[in-house]
Amino acid sequence: LSELEKATLILSDGQESQKISLANSLPTLLASEPASFSEILPQFVEMTNSASTELLNICGQCVTNLLLSGMLTQQQISSYIVPLLWNHINCKDASAHTTWLNALVTFIQKTSKEMLVKSDVIKLALDKGNLAQKTSSRIACAEIITSLCRRLDQTQVEVEIFPTIRMLCQDIDYDVRSAMCGSLVRIAQSIGELGTVKLLIPEINELLQDEEVQVRNTAITVLIDICPHLSKDIISQMLSQRFGRISISPSVRNHPPRMLRSPK
């Protein structure tokens, strides 16, 4: 039997150990047999539907590797990979969930903007942030929309994504608020200074007053990390608005605490 024939047999009737081995080597096999995609991918998708947690984890890593390889056509991604991602992004096992979340983020990073729109990934991602969804889903939403912000222009972020960012920053669960808050630095890097000041700083100010210490600490860290991306005038304005009544001694101004110094 050829390697392709062996692969199709394992995908349909192989033992668990054989399927795990195949999933680990599938990107290499497909690279050597480009014509086999149309035959292998449907069986691969079918196999994941009944996969054990260990196998499902490895399949998620396999999908990430396939996306990174650039071997898949847009049609193959649309027909097989996108449905696969959304089928398994909510898997209960924490390790497998993280693996498939990473695969989805890789898809967002590597696919074309046209595909992002056609695949409905933006709508599906935003739906995961609804309050009716589980806490784990809303936390995952924070990571997904952060990746989307890096691919979309500022207008799209402000109109389509930001309402969900704000909603997650104000979520009833402090783990969700903390997760969204922790992603704001990466979003700031994507939308620039004007977008950061307009959209993100007001949310950070609210999070700095959060009732939970974890969220407040995250907000402080985020504010410090965002400062290098802002002009001195904006930083001075922010500090004067928030700490205008505090008298800062010359020694502190001239020798700020280490945590407040800009990285070299």
Side-chain angles (χ1 to χ4, degrees):
L1 294 176
S2 68
E3 291 301 314
L4 177 59
E5 290 172 329
K6 290 178 183 178
T8 56
L9 284 175
I10 291 173
L11 286 170
S12 58
D13 298 310
Q15 297 179 352
E16 176 82 359
S17 59
Q18 292 175 311
K19 291 180 178 179
I20 289 174
S21 177
L22 177 62
N24 277 319
S25 62
L26 193 58
T28 302
L29 172 63
L30 292 175
S32 63
E33 299 275 358
S36 65
F37 276 90
S38 59
E39 185 173 354
I40 291 292
L41 286 178
Q43 288 185 290
F44 177 77
V45 171
E46 182 66 26
M47 180 186 71
T48 65
N49 292 332
S50 57
S52 66
T53 298
E54 180 182 6
L55 179 56
L56 192 61
N57 201 347
I58 294 173
C59 287
Q61 295 170 4
C62 176
V63 169
T64 297
N65 291 334
L66 287 172
L67 289 167
L68 289 172
S69 72
M71 293 187 293
L72 299 173
T73 66
Q74 294 296 305
Q75 181 60 42
Q76 289 166 341
I77 292 174
S78 176
S79 299
Y80 301 113
I81 301 303
V82 173
L84 198 59
L85 291 170
W86 289 110
N87 281 344
H88 300 301
I89 190 66
N90 292 321
C91 53
K92 295 181 180 179
D93 179 77
S95 177
H97 170 77
T98 299
T99 299
W100 283 95
L101 177 59
N102 290 338
L104 178 57
V105 169
T106 301
F107 162 74
I108 292 171
Q109 293 170 343
K110 294 298 181 180
T111 196
S112 66
K113 289 186 178 180
E114 182 182 6
M115 175 61 71
L116 287 179
V117 175
K118 286 185 176 179
S119 66
D120 283 334
V121 67
I122 297 175
K123 179 181 181 300
L124 292 168
L126 297 180
D127 285 345
K128 288 184 68 64
N130 288 338
L131 191 58
Q133 299 284 357
K134 295 179 180 179
T135 298
S136 59
S137 174
R138 304 200 304 278
I139 291 175
C141 177
E143 180 64 30
I144 297 168
I145 62 178
T146 299
S147 297
L148 283 170
C149 287
R150 301 175 77 89
R151 297 299 315 280
L152 304 176
D153 59 47
Q154 185 175 331
T155 300
Q156 288 177 295
V157 171
E158 183 172 352
V159 174
E160 299 182 49
I161 308 297
F162 181 68
T164 299
I165 294 175
R166 173 183 287 164
M167 181 172 64
L168 294 177
C169 284
Q170 300 173 3
D171 196 273
I172 59 174
D173 191 299
Y174 73 88
D175 283 329
V176 178
R177 298 197 301 275
S178 183
M180 189 68 259
C181 179
S183 295
L184 295 182
V185 175
R186 285 180 290 159
I187 295 175
Q189 294 169 344
S190 302
I191 63 177
E193 183 179 67
L194 293 178
T196 297
V197 173
K198 178 182 179 181
L199 303 176
L200 303 187
I201 295 302
E203 299 306 316
I204 295 173
N205 282 333
E206 289 294 323
L207 292 164
L208 286 168
Q209 303 174 63
D210 197 273
E211 61 186 16
E212 294 290 339
V213 173
Q214 174 183 323
V215 179
R216 295 199 301 272
N217 287 343
T218 302
I220 291 171
T221 300
V222 166
L223 184 59
I224 293 170
D225 290 343
I226 277 181
C227 282
H229 303 285
L230 302 176
S231 67
K232 292 182 179 179
D233 289 342
I234 294 295
I235 294 173
S236 297
Q237 183 180 354
M238 287 166 47
L239 292 175
S240 64
Q241 289 175 347
R242 188 160 189 83
F243 305 113
R245 296 182 180 179
I246 298 178
S247 176
I248 302 177
S249 67
S251 62
V252 173
R253 285 198 300 268
N254 295 330
H255 304 283
R258 180 172 309 204
M259 66 181 294
L260 295 179
R261 295 175 189 166
S262 298
K264 294 182 180 180

